Amino acid sequence: SYIHFNALDLNLLRVLDALLEERSVTRAGERLGLTQSAVSHALNRLRHALNDDILMRGPDGMQPTARAAQIGPRVRQGLMQLELALHAVDFEPARADRQFTLACNDHVSAAIVPGLMARLRTEAPLVSLRI
């Protein structure tokens, strides 16, 4: 079924991931730093948004529905991709292979470019400058 993604609270995806992993409203809440009540309300919102029960009580505790089991791994992968996207990328000068463009006047260029080039040759040999 179609989901109005733009209207979906993306925090619910974190709750969905925790619920599917923990299979317990209480443990999902502990993992997320939320109360059991807040997770329960989020589960109800998820059920409404996805038009699916998400988790059902079974003989072995809470079990995901077929739809939840299907989308769970993709939600987890998406959350991991978002987390990676938000982490700062470490810059390693020795391995950097890119061109930087500097905009400066002749005086600044004469003052800093020779020293900068010498340092780049030793610390970032693959980096090139466009001035």
Side-chain angles (χ1 to χ4, degrees):
S1 82
Y2 181 76
I3 305 299
H4 295 282
F5 188 78
N6 290 338
L8 182 65
D9 177 352
L10 297 182
N11 287 311
L12 291 177
L13 297 179
R14 292 180 57 239
V15 173
L16 176 61
D17 182 57
L19 283 166
L20 293 176
E21 182 76 17
E22 301 294 339
R23 297 190 184 187
S24 159
V25 172
T26 302
R27 287 193 308 271
E30 289 169 356
R31 176 173 157 181
L32 296 169
L34 299 172
T35 64
Q36 181 179 355
S37 175
V39 174
S40 182
H41 287 295
L43 176 56
N44 286 330
R45 290 173 58 205
L46 277 164
R47 286 174 168 158
H48 178 73
L50 300 176
N51 196 26
D52 187 84
D53 287 328
I54 310 297
L55 289 173
M56 301 292 294
R57 290 201 190 281
D60 299 324
M62 301 291 277
Q63 298 298 315
T65 62
R67 178 139 191 253
Q70 177 189 34
I71 66 174
R74 294 190 311 229
V75 167
R76 162 136 320 162
Q77 183 179 16
L79 290 171
M80 288 190 305
Q81 288 296 316
L82 286 170
E83 187 175 341
L84 284 172
L86 298 176
H87 280 301
V89 177
D90 292 331
F91 178 74
E92 296 181 46
R95 297 177 65 192
D97 184 7
R98 57 186 293 190
Q99 181 181 66
F100 292 93
T101 301
L102 296 178
C104 56
N105 63 31
D106 291 342
H107 175 71
V108 172
S109 177
I112 67 165
V113 170
L116 179 59
M117 291 300 294
R119 190 163 181 187
L120 284 175
R121 274 193 293 279
T122 60
E123 294 184 29
L126 302 176
V127 168
S128 63
L129 286 182
R130 182 172 157 238
I131 301 169

